Structures are given as structure tokens and as C-alpha cells.
Amino acid sequence: MKDEFDSIINIENYEKYSQDIKDGKFFGIESAPIIEAEKKLLSKDGKSIAYFSMEYGLAPSIYNSFQTNRPIDKSNILASNTVFSNMGYIDSFFEIKVNKLLDIPIYSGGLGVLAGDTLKSSADLGISLVGIGILWNKGYFKQSFWFKYGQVPEEMKWDPYTYPGLIPLNDIIKIDIKDGTLFLKLWKYYVYSYDRKNVVPLILLDANIPQNDGRKRSLTDQLYRSDEVLIKIYQRIILGTGGVKALEELGYSIDTYHLNEGHAAMAFIQCAKNTPADEMDILSSKFAYTCHTPVVAGHDRFLIKDFENVLSKDEISLLKKYGLDKSNPNFVNLTTLALNSSFNVNAVSKKHCEVTKAQFPSYIDKIKAITNGVHTHTWVSKSLAQLFDNYKEIIGDWRRDPEKLKNINLLKNNEQFINDLWQAHQQNKRILVELLEKWRLKEDVFTIAWARRIAGYKRPGLLLYNYENLIELAKRIGPIQVIFAGKAHPNDDIGSTYINEMLDKIDKIGSKEEDYIKIIMLENYDTYYAKILTNSVDVWLNNPLPPFEASGTSGMKAILNGVIQLSTLDGWVVEAEDKNIGKIFGFRAGSDIGSEANLRLKEDSDALYKALEELMSLYYQTNQNGKPSLKSKWLDIMINCIAASSFFNTQRMVLDYQNFIWQKPTKTYQLNTK
Ligand SMILES: *Cc1c(COP(=O)(O)O)cnc(C)c1O
């Protein structure tokens, strides 16, 4: 195997890695699928896809764990996290023991997790695809809470050289820019299918090598963190331009370039540089673009003047031709560039498609709706997977085809199944109770979670808006346990203020009422916590201000595990409104986009408490000393949730990509420049 591996994959310092790559194994997993995948990507008559994304959420602690025979640097292990709760007397003495491998620290939130799940489902489907991303040497950031100060971001350290499964290549690419050459080292990580029969490689670009001066070396330090425009521009050049060069360096023959968000749009400029004018339409037909951002201000815009400090005349004129900002011709807009250059464009839910079309009316003909999903095998809990297997006769082969989960509807009147489902859920809840052992949560108490990136439009503290109401509910209906988690972007003052305010309110609630109400805020939310929370709580709370949540995916992880939704009507939830997967409350968006400045906290928190009261009442009617009341609607809703997840998964999404945006035009197509 060494020879075949060696001839295809040019590993730096092979000897060091040979302990883990030998005898037909790659870090403990069969390596034959790697050779297969590499051969397909190298094949000249192939139909391979290159998928570009600034971030990838990949976490061996929940999927695809590699083994290693070498010591792992301490910095790659997350040992413990502190907790902030209304029981401060516990917080000061105890931590949560985690002890797991860090997620590869190259993502910040849902966009990255979606990119990771996309690679996994592509592998499941045996698609010849390669991911392109960046090796962020200092990750995103490490979060710690300081009472009265809110979130304090700290720089994080990790060691890619001892991270199991991550391999450095000898390949180095060069990008010529005005102030000298930028060198980028390539890394590889293999993402296996659930049955380990296929893989998808992920290529990561890294500027932190001695060939670059100190300033250039820091270009791939931190994801989305930069106070300097020029660094942001460089990072986009690294992903787009560097990505295309990396594919050439590795000899991959690519038929479709998929830009996950406009960050990667420079890939088109790089390809266009070497394309004759009369073949630009053909080039464009190879580009697909997934737009995620419903806020105009969220799209990347840069002064042409700043680009001129870096790029050549040719590149600037291409940028001006395809990427000029519509409202100000001194700017290049990467969304405009992606929209113009890509023959295929998709928004990430039906609602988001409407919003995107309203925002970019000149592109309505090409914008399609392909709703996001989650990777079933990553997000399903052990106990629910076991349950689905036990009822395989009726459900079918849900592992190979998650759509089969809709057959769960056939089990609605099966008392044994309903009991088993409840028990499987309780088993997950016990995992949460154990994680937070010192805080003494109870498995028979109504438990709700809000966890995701902290951003203004997501309204993280809505449940605490008038916390007296929450305490009153808990005393009148039954006790409540609340878990919050999430990071705010370090430059997002509003987000940090939110955290501050939440910590303050949690402290004010205090431990006086702890028999009724326990509120816990977890530090350093990541996919490991996401999995535990989405698997275990009774209700998943999602309260963005419509229509600013393009899709949202955490609720999809929850429904797969039968966790009931309490949500505003936004993103993916609009498509599940008629499926009775919980309670929908609050403001409903009309056809205009409205303003993010008016967060409607008062009205929507009132609506939230009302909806919560109904769910809590139903829960306490259902849960009778640990046994479910079989007639209860609660279990019906849990089953509806699982049935709905037959659609909201990345296998369906990737098949939609294949059918709708990785397709070439059937008739001649005129490239947009406006
Ligand atoms: C799934 C996931 C998200 C996405 O959450 P939304 O509710 O869709 O915003 C964010 N962060 C992590 C760690 C996740 O696993």
C-alpha cells in the first residue's frame, strides 16, 4: 500500500506518518477507498466537483474518528469547560469534564457544519467531489465568560501535525501578488462515508510556512477575524485563487466548481484569466453558487482601490467586468461576482429563495431553492438509531436512504413503539444529565435549549426577556431546565452585549428558586455539545426574527431525534409548518424584507411564553412518573418530527444539487455581466 499511496499522495515527512498509514489502513480505517477517490479525481473524463467553503465543521468526536499510534499534542484535546448558571455556588467549584479531541477548529457555526455534512453525504452517495478550505492555524477563537464582562475571546492554539487523520503534503502552490509571491502549503483530510466504502478528500490551504514573511504567514490565522480589509481580501484570494491552483497542482480534473457562499468567488477570476473570451459562457456553466445570506450588509464588498494593491491589471478588469457593485461602482461585490459568473445559483430554503429574489431581481431566473439539511449519521443519537433498526421491517433501510424515515408514521398507533421511543429519548436525556452531573438536572423535568451562534437577528436572550414570566410559568405548570450556548463573533458588540445581559439575568434569577428553574449557559459551543443538546432536550428553541434566518439547521438535528420544535416561522421551518412538529409563534414576515433593527422583543417574548406554557402543560400531562401517557399528542408530535427529517437531510440536499445546480445548461447560455 505504501507504494500506491506514495505515488498518489505526496505526504510531507512520510516516515513520521507511516505508523498510522500502513497495512492497508489509514489511521485505523481501510485506505482502499482513498485510492479509488483519488483515481476518480485524476481521471480526465471524470465529472468531478470541487466544493469551496471558508469553513468546515468536522468533528471526530461525533463522526469518523481516526486512530493514531503517535502521541497527540495536548492542545488538540478539550479537557473541560466551565459553566455559568443560576447556581453560582456550583459553577465556582466544578467544571464539565469533556476529554475529547477538538473539532478541527476551522468553522464558526452552521455554515461550516453544513459544509462538513455536505462532504459526508457526497461520500455516502459515492460522488467524486473534493472540498477546498483553509487551515486556520489559530482556529476561530476560544470563549470564556467573565461575569459583568460577558464573553472574553481568547486566541486558541492547536497542532495540525498531530491531529489524527490530518496530513501535510509536500505540495506548495504560489500566488503572484503585487507585493511578492504568496506560498501556500496543502493539507489533506479524508471524509469517509457512513459505511466507510467511499471518501471525499478535503484540501486545506495554509500560509503559515517559512517561505512567507511573518505578515503573510498570519493570513491563515483566524477564521473571520481581521480588522484589516487587506487581510480579508487576501483570505478570499487564498480560498478562490489558491483553491483553483491547488486543484491544478494535484492534477484533479474538475467539471463543476461549487461556491459555498460568495467568499470563494475569486475562483472564477482565476479560471477566467486562462479562458478565451468566446469560451466564457462555457466556463460560467461550470460554476454553481449557494447564497446563504439574507442581509444585504452581509455580502462581501471591497473598494476596487484595495484590490488594486494586490491584483494584476487583467484580474482587476475581470473583477470590474463581472463583480462591480450595483449601488457604488467604486466597489467590487463578491455576491454580484458569484451571481454573474455562476450559471447555477441556489438559496438555502424556499423562504430564503423569495427573499433572495427580492434582493436581486435581475437574477430571478437563475435562483433556485434547495433547502439545507443535516447528515443523518452524524446527528442521529445511538438510542434512536437502535430504535430505527429495531423497527427496520416497517421503516426500511434508513441508513442508506434517510427518506425512509417517513415510514415512522406507520408506527403511530403501535404502543410498543411509542413506549420504546419515549425510553430512547429518556436515555438521551440521561446523557445530558450526566454531563451536567454537578448541577443536578432531572430527567423528568421539562428541558429546553437554545444553542447556536449568538447574533442579533437570532435573538439569543428572548426566553429571558421577562424572566419573571418564566419563573411564574415554572411555579404554576411545572419545573423547567434551560440550556443556552453559543459564541458571538469577537467584533460583534451587539452579540457580546447579549451574552452579558443573559449572564446578568441568569445571576439575578439566582438559586433561590432552583427547585423550579435551572438555567445553564455552556462555554465554547461546538458540534460535540450540539450533538448532545439536539439529541437530548425535550424542546428545541429557535427564535430568529423572520425573515433573517436563511435556513437554520440545528432544529433539523433535533427533529431527527424526535425533539419537538418551538420556533418562529422562518427558514426551513416554513416548509415544515403543516407537519405539526411543535409550536410556531411570533412575528410573521410579509413579502418585504423589513428591518433587522426592530427586533420585536416585547411582542415576540410574550408570544413565546404563551406557546411555552402550552408545551409545558402538554409535557407534564404526558410524562407520568417516567412513563408516557400513550394517548398524548406529545408522542404524536415526536413522531411527526422524525418523519419530517426524512426530507431535511444532506443526502436529499446533495441529490438536489446534483439534479438542479450541478447540471450544465441544455441550450446556449449568455453570461451575465450586470
Ligand atoms: C448545527 C450547528 C449550528 C447551526 O445552528 P442554527 O440554529 O442553524 O443557527 C451552529 N453551531 C453548531 C456547533 C452546530 O452544530
Side-chain angles (χ1 to χ4, degrees):
M1 188 55 77
K2 177 181 189 299
D3 293 342
E4 198 166 13
F5 223 96
D6 238 9
S7 66
I8 293 187
I9 303 148
N10 192 0
I11 302 182
E12 176 197 318
N13 203 346
Y14 186 91
E15 283 314 310
K16 205 163 98 188
Y17 290 86
S18 61
Q19 300 176 46
D20 290 317
I21 307 174
K22 60 173 182 199
D23 307 332
K25 294 275 163 137
F26 179 83
F27 292 87
I29 306 182
E30 292 297 316
S31 58
I34 294 183
I35 310 280
E36 277 311 300
E38 292 286 350
K39 281 184 180 159
K40 274 199 226 164
L41 284 160
L42 291 166
S43 142
K44 293 284 165 257
D45 50 359
K47 292 252 171 267
S48 298
I49 293 136
Y51 180 86
F52 292 68
S53 181
M54 212 45 143
E55 46 172 317
Y56 289 89
L58 291 166
S61 61
I62 57 171
Y63 182 80
N64 199 26
S65 2
F66 289 116
Q67 290 154 20
T68 180
N69 295 312
R70 296 186 302 140
I72 298 173
D73 192 86
K74 260 202 340 273
S75 66
N76 291 341
I77 306 289
L78 176 65
S80 60
N81 269 143
T82 56
V83 161
F84 190 96
S85 79
N86 62 324
M87 296 154 281
Y89 66 96
I90 303 179
D91 307 348
S92 341
F93 292 102
F94 297 102
E95 296 193 311
I96 308 180
K97 298 269 169 283
V98 187
N99 250 325
K100 59 128 192 166
L101 199 60
L102 280 185
D103 296 0
I104 309 181
I106 55 170
Y107 74 97
S108 76
L111 177 75
V113 175
L114 178 85
D117 281 2
T118 302
L119 301 189
K120 296 173 205 168
S121 283
S122 300
D124 292 348
L125 290 162
I127 293 171
S128 179
L129 181 142
V130 52
I132 303 280
I134 294 179
L135 188 108
W136 299 104
N137 285 270
K138 294 180 182 171
Y140 180 44
F141 72 94
K142 193 165 165 294
Q143 177 189 53
S144 68
F145 294 144
W146 289 15
F147 185 49
K148 301 287 181 207
Y149 294 94
Q151 163 187 286
V152 177
E154 292 166 16
E155 200 172 282
M156 77 156 301
K157 287 199 180 67
W158 69 294
D159 177 34
Y161 283 94
T162 62
Y163 196 98
L166 195 54
I167 48 173
L169 306 185
N170 281 319
D171 305 79
I172 288 181
I173 57 156
K174 290 188 255 180
I175 302 181
D176 289 316
I177 37 185
K178 277 203 175 154
D179 61 346
T181 304
L182 171 66
F183 295 88
L184 296 168
K185 173 188 187 60
L186 307 185
W187 293 75
K188 253 186 198 172
Y189 189 78
Y190 289 102
V191 178
Y192 276 80
S193 61
Y194 78 96
D195 60 5
R196 301 188 162 188
K197 294 211 168 96
N198 299 301
V199 300
V200 156
L202 170 62
I203 314 288
L204 297 172
L205 299 128
D206 175 14
N208 185 23
I209 47 173
Q211 288 87 331
N212 291 322
D213 61 29
R215 191 180 138 75
K216 289 206 183 87
R217 285 183 79 149
S218 69
L219 287 173
T220 51
D221 273 358
Q222 278 164 305
L223 171 64
Y224 300 139
R225 275 209 73 184
S226 155
D227 308 321
E228 258 186 75
V229 173
L230 207 56
I231 294 182
K232 287 189 185 162
I233 288 179
Y234 272 123
Q235 291 176 340
R236 279 141 188 84
I237 292 173
I238 290 173
L239 181 64
T241 314
V244 171
K245 290 196 163 207
L247 295 166
E248 284 164 9
E249 162 73 19
L250 296 170
Y252 292 166
S253 138
I254 299 300
D255 193 43
T256 302
Y257 298 83
H258 186 156
L259 315 176
N260 187 42
E261 215 21 314
H263 307 134
M266 290 300 294
F268 181 78
I269 301 293
Q270 176 61 20
C271 292
K273 267 185 353 198
N274 308 316
T275 303
D278 62 342
E279 286 177 25
M280 289 297 270
D281 296 350
I282 299 174
L283 178 65
S284 162
S285 71
K286 296 182 174 184
F287 273 75
Y289 161 48
T290 299
C291 175
H292 291 264
T293 319
V295 203
V296 178
H299 299 280
D300 276 338
R301 287 159 90 239
F302 299 101
L303 276 170
I304 296 179
K305 211 164 61 184
D306 289 328
F307 262 115
E308 279 169 346
N309 287 329
V310 189
L311 298 181
S312 71
K313 272 213 180 77
D314 278 2
E315 290 165 319
I316 295 291
S317 74
L318 284 164
L319 263 183
K320 284 186 184 165
K321 184 164 178 197
Y322 298 111
L324 217 51
D325 189 75
K326 291 197 167 131
S327 52
N328 187 338
N330 295 321
F331 282 87
V332 161
N333 183 323
L334 293 187
T335 300
T336 311
L337 176 60
L339 283 167
N340 280 335
S341 58
S342 306
F343 169 67
N344 282 303
V345 176
N346 82 288
V348 293
S349 70
K350 291 203 169 77
K351 179 74 195 167
H352 179 230
C353 189
E354 276 173 36
V355 172
T356 310
K357 284 180 172 176
Q359 269 178 351
F360 307 107
S362 34
Y363 303 93
I364 26 186
D365 293 340
K366 62 164 126 175
I367 303 171
K368 301 180 178 97
I370 298 180
T371 306
N372 283 345
V374 297
H375 184 245
T376 306
H377 304 277
T378 302
W379 298 106
V380 71
S381 56
K382 273 207 182 87
S383 64
L384 272 276
Q386 185 62 55
L387 175 75
F388 301 157
D389 283 346
N390 292 348
Y391 287 85
K392 208 172 178 170
E393 299 280 289
I394 293 153
I395 296 171
D397 188 355
W398 63 277
R399 290 178 191 266
R400 196 182 51 78
D401 179 8
E403 202 186 338
K404 294 270 190 267
L405 287 173
K406 75 170 177 259
N407 292 334
I408 208 115
N409 275 326
L410 302 170
L411 290 159
K412 269 201 168 160
N413 298 316
N414 183 326
E415 288 192 6
Q416 181 66 46
F417 176 76
I418 291 172
N419 256 311
D420 291 351
L421 172 59
W422 181 267
Q423 293 313 330
H425 175 69
Q426 289 302 97
Q427 208 171 314
N428 288 335
K429 223 167 152 182
R430 283 194 286 276
I431 294 174
L432 178 68
V433 170
E434 256 164 55
L435 179 81
L436 290 163
E437 188 197 343
K438 304 293 182 199
W439 286 263
R440 300 188 302 263
L441 300 188
K442 296 203 177 78
E443 68 176 81
D444 287 326
V445 168
F446 178 89
T447 306
I448 183 168
W450 185 103
R452 48 182 61 75
R453 274 188 316 115
I454 305 261
Y457 77 89
K458 289 176 182 274
R459 303 189 293 188
L462 193 68
L463 185 62
L464 298 177
Y465 183 79
N466 187 346
Y467 59 82
E468 295 294 343
N469 284 0
L470 195 61
I471 298 173
E472 188 274 327
L473 267 184
K475 287 187 166 167
R476 184 158 51 85
I477 314 284
I480 181 167
Q481 299 171 154
V482 185
I483 322 278
F484 287 109
K487 293 177 174 179
H489 186 287
N491 300 353
D492 175 5
D493 294 337
I494 298 178
S496 307
T497 308
Y498 255 119
I499 297 184
N500 216 343
E501 192 188 343
M502 289 164 77
L503 296 182
D504 202 46
K505 285 181 171 170
I506 294 170
D507 185 62
K508 285 211 175 89
I509 291 170
S511 60
K512 203 169 77 226
E513 318 278 12
E514 71 173 284
D515 288 342
Y516 296 102
I517 183 163
K518 290 188 171 166
I519 307 190
I520 287 181
M521 196 139 160
L522 300 175
E523 251 175 26
N524 285 308
Y525 188 52
D526 65 359
T527 57
Y528 174 79
Y529 287 133
K531 174 141 179 170
I532 294 183
L533 293 180
T534 56
N535 284 185
S536 68
V537 296
D538 300 305
V539 170
W540 191 253
L541 176 62
N542 177 51
N543 47 225
L545 174 72
F548 293 99
E549 189 66 88
S551 166
T553 50
S554 62
M556 301 176 186
K557 303 166 189 166
I559 56 170
L560 171 62
N561 291 286
V563 169
I564 289 179
Q565 305 294 298
L566 175 53
S567 179
T568 49
L569 191 63
D570 204 7
W572 73 274
V573 177
V574 176
E575 286 157 68
E577 189 187 7
D578 60 348
K579 297 188 163 53
N580 191 13
I581 57 168
K583 281 234 59 99
I584 289 172
F585 71 94
F587 174 71
R588 290 176 176 238
S591 53
D592 75 31
I593 297 166
S595 159
E596 225 194 313
N598 180 6
L599 285 172
R600 300 172 193 271
L601 298 177
K602 171 82 185 76
E603 312 89 283
D604 275 8
S605 63
D606 284 344
L608 168 56
Y609 295 127
K610 208 158 148 270
L612 181 62
E613 174 168 354
E614 286 179 44
L615 283 182
M616 286 172 72
S617 307
L618 186 58
Y619 177 82
Y620 281 114
Q621 286 159 28
T622 308
N623 186 357
Q624 299 179 342
N625 306 317
K627 283 231 165 64
S629 149
L630 293 176
K631 294 184 303 287
S632 168
K633 270 195 341 215
W634 186 274
L635 284 134
D636 241 28
I637 304 176
M638 284 178 77
I639 293 175
N640 294 340
C641 286
I642 298 168
S645 73
S646 63
F647 177 80
F648 296 102
N649 58 71
T650 37
Q651 176 145 327
R652 187 268 316 148
M653 182 194 79
V654 168
L655 288 170
D656 281 349
Y657 284 169
Q658 237 178 357
N659 291 326
F660 302 112
I661 65 163
W662 294 343
Q663 287 294 342
K664 302 292 175 279
T666 45
K667 47 182 197 279
T668 28
Y669 156 71
Q670 200 69 55
L671 177 58
N672 280 25
T673 52
K674 306 198 256 310

